[in-house]
C-alpha cells in the first residue's frame, strides 16, 4: 500500500497514485480508526474522484502526537486543513464517530459559504439523537470488550498486548471526543445527505438513522444493509457504487 501525505500535511493521506479528478471525497475514520481504513474504498473509486483520508493525531504515523479529545476542536482543525481545497467541489464521508465529525465540518464549510457536494454518513445516530454509553470511562478491558462487541477489529490484534497498548490511548481519546460531543442547534445543512446503516447495529436504531433527515434541507436518502456496526466492510462495492453515482 503506497501512502502519499497531501502537501506535506499529516492530516490528509492518499493511497496509491495521486489522482487528478475534479472532485475530492474527504473520508473520516471511526473512533480508534485510522486513514488506512479507507484504503479499500480508494481502490474502488473512479479516477474522477480524489479520495482524501483524514489521519487523526495519536495513531499510525501520528502516534507520537496527543489525541484531540474534543470533537468540536477536532472539527475546527480539520476545517482549517481543508481550506486550500475549497476552491473545488468537496464531498465528505464519515463512519461512526467520523460521521458526526463529517457533519460538523460540513456545517463549518456551509457557514463560510462553501456547500459540500454531498455528505455521506454511516453507522451513526443523527447528531440530534446523540447519547453516550460511557465507554471512554471504562478500564482497558472494558474498551477491549467494546471492540469485540462492535466486531470492527481483527480478533488477532486483541490478543496482542503490545499492539493493544498502542491502540488503546487513541481509542479512549476518540471515544471521549465522541461521547462528550454536544450537538449545537442551528440551521440545517443544504447539501444532499445519504445515510448508510446496518440492520443489526445495536448502536443505531432505524429511528436514529432516519433522524438524519432533519439535518438538511437538501435531498436525503437512507440505505439499510445487512450487518452490524461495521456492516460497510462487507458492502463496500455497493456503497462505492452509490457514492460514485451520487457524485456524477
Amino acid at each position: 500500500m503506497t501512502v502519499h501525505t497531501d502537501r506535506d500535511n499529516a492530516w490528509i493521506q492518499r493511497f496509491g497514485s495521486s489522482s487528478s479528478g475534479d472532485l475530492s471525497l474527504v473520508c473520516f475514520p471511526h473512533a480508534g480508526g485510522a486513514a488506512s481504513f479507507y484504503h479499500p474504498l480508494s481502490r474502488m473509486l473512479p479516477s474522477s474522484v480524489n479520495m482524501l483520508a483524514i489521519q487523526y493525531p495519536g495513531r499510525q504515523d501520528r502516534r507520537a502526537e496527543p489525541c484531540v479529545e474534543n470533537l468540536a476542536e477536532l472539527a475546527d482543525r480539520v476545517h482549517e486543513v481543508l481550506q486550500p481545497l475549497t476552491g473545488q467541489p468537496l464531498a465528505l464521508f464519515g463512519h461512526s464517530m467520523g460521521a458526526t465529525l463529517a457533519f460538523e465540518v460540513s456545517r463549518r464549510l456551509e457557514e463560510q459559504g462553501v456547500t459540500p457536494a454531498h455528505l455521506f454518513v454511516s453507522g451513526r445516530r443523527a447528531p440530534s439523537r446523540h447519547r453516550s454509553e460511557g465507554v471512554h470511562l471504562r478500564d482497558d478491558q472494558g474498551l477491549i470488550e467494546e471492540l469485540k462487541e462492535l466486531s470492527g477489529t481483527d480478533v488477532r490484534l486483541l490478543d496482542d498486548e503490545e499492539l493493544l497498548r498502542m491502540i488503546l490511548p487513541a481509542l479512549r481519546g476518540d471515544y471521549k471526543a465522541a461521547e462528550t460531543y454536544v450537538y449545537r442547534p442551528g440551521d440545517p445543512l443544504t447539501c444532499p445527505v445519504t445515510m448508510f446503516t446496518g440492520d443489526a447495529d445495536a448502536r443505531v436504531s432505524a429511528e436514529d438513522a432516519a433522524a438524519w433527515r432533519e439535518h438538511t434541507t437538501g435531498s436525503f436518502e437512507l440505505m439499510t444493509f445487512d450487518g452490524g456496526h461495521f456492516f460497510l466492510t462487507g458492502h463496500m462495492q455497493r456503497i462505492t457504487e452509490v457514492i460514485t453515482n451520487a457524485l456524477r
Side-chain angles (χ1 to χ4, degrees):
M1 178 174 67
T2 303
V3 180
H4 300 275
T5 300
D6 192 72
R7 301 186 180 184
D8 297 322
N9 190 323
W11 285 88
I12 298 177
Q13 290 189 357
R14 303 174 187 263
F15 303 105
S17 60
S18 178
S19 59
S20 57
D22 296 326
L23 181 146
S24 292
L25 176 66
V26 184
C27 297
F28 297 77
H30 53 281
S36 57
F37 178 74
Y38 288 107
H39 180 241
L41 175 62
S42 72
R43 298 180 64 183
M44 297 179 186
L45 286 170
S47 60
S48 58
V49 178
N50 301 316
M51 203 211 77
L52 312 176
I54 298 297
Q55 185 76 301
Y56 310 140
R59 68 221 65 210
Q60 292 186 337
D61 56 310
R62 305 190 69 185
R63 189 169 60 252
E65 301 178 50
C67 297
V68 179
E69 298 182 343
N70 180 284
L71 197 136
E73 177 186 346
L74 190 56
D76 286 341
R77 294 176 70 173
V78 174
H79 174 242
E80 181 180 358
V81 165
L82 294 180
Q83 288 306 297
L85 304 175
T86 55
Q88 65 176 14
L90 285 177
L92 293 83
F93 175 37
H95 178 69
S96 196
M97 179 192 81
T100 307
L101 182 57
F103 166 75
E104 286 293 338
V105 173
S106 295
R107 280 183 129 184
R108 286 156 173 74
L109 289 170
E110 291 208 352
E111 286 168 358
Q112 76 171 91
V114 177
T115 302
H118 208 109
L119 171 62
F120 302 94
V121 289
S122 169
R124 191 67 170 173
R125 311 177 191 102
S128 56
R129 298 294 187 97
H130 174 73
R131 58 185 179 272
S132 172
E133 281 86 20
V135 175
H136 74 282
L137 300 174
R138 300 178 188 175
D139 60 15
D140 287 352
Q141 187 57 41
L143 285 176
I144 294 170
E145 291 303 319
E146 174 75 2
L147 291 178
K148 291 179 179 179
E149 182 177 350
L150 296 182
S151 302
T153 304
D154 189 329
V155 293
R156 291 172 297 180
L157 299 182
L158 301 180
D159 294 327
D160 188 318
E161 291 188 8
E162 183 176 355
L163 283 175
L164 280 176
R165 285 196 298 271
M166 292 172 59
I167 67 173
L168 285 179
L171 180 67
R172 187 180 301 280
D174 287 354
Y175 264 96
K176 182 177 180 180
E179 293 187 321
T180 58
Y181 166 71
V182 178
Y183 169 65
R184 171 176 53 90
D187 293 336
L189 299 173
T190 62
C191 66
V193 174
T194 298
M195 200 288 166
F196 305 119
T197 189
D199 61 2
D201 188 346
R203 294 287 186 267
V204 185
S205 70
E207 293 77 14
D208 290 335
W212 277 97
R213 181 68 186 89
E214 304 166 5
H215 293 287
T216 185
T217 60
S219 62
F220 176 75
E221 184 174 13
L222 172 61
M223 301 189 68
T224 303
F225 294 85
D226 296 336
H229 189 65
F230 281 94
F231 67 92
L232 75 170
T233 58
H235 298 280
M236 193 61 77
Q237 183 64 52
R238 175 58 182 147
I239 289 172
T240 304
E241 292 171 359
V242 172
I243 292 173
T244 301
N245 290 334
L247 296 181
R248 280 176 178 161

